Amino acid sequence: MLQSSDNAQRYSPNTHPPAKTVSTPVEQATIGRSLVIKGEVKGDESIYIDGQIEGTINFTDHRVTIGRNGRVHANIIAREVVIMGSVEGNLQCSDRVDIRAEGRLTGDIITQRISVEDGAVLKGSVQIRTEAKTSDSKNAGENKAAENKKDQHHQSQLPTVTDSSKATTTESLATAAGK
């Protein structure tokens, strides 16, 4: 059954154009460039900070993004932290820390994953942790004991360095690997 294109358009059961798909916008709060907040900031959505915050930031299950104009003097607890501005404080992330090329961080980090771009500044310690979720407390106790034993073994093999600028990543990795 061949039809001409005129007939196909005229008698087509789908004469209306397809509806546009509307995606839900990502819920994200924004602290603008001119805002200065002193105290505790917490919430249940992601946040973009382009202003100044002094105190604590707690977005346990969400992303905290420090914009290029953002200046933060606070400890941050979040699922994910992206730094493009300046942060002075400790970070505790359940997933990832991402320090972009123009970002600056002075403080200690505890996270599962970290990304530091060329040009970024990081002053502080980094602890990479795997999140072992066990419901059995006996297994958790055994895992903790094994982890402590492993940490003690690795610490006894690490060299003592008085000037951190003299230690290279290659030396640290080789020592940590037991070479």
Side-chain angles (χ1 to χ4, degrees), residues 62-84:
H62 301 282
R63 172 190 276 192
V64 174
T65 303
I66 313 302
R68 287 182 175 85
N69 299 306
R71 303 289 173 254
V72 174
H73 298 277
N75 292 331
I76 301 173
I77 299 172
R79 177 182 48 85
E80 183 176 352
V81 176
V82 177
I83 300 173
M84 295 178 280

Side-chain angles (χ1 to χ4, degrees), residues 111-112 128-133 147:
T111 187
Q112 286 188 354
I128 304 296
R129 294 196 177 168
T130 58
E131 193 163 343
K133 293 185 178 183
E147 187 177 316

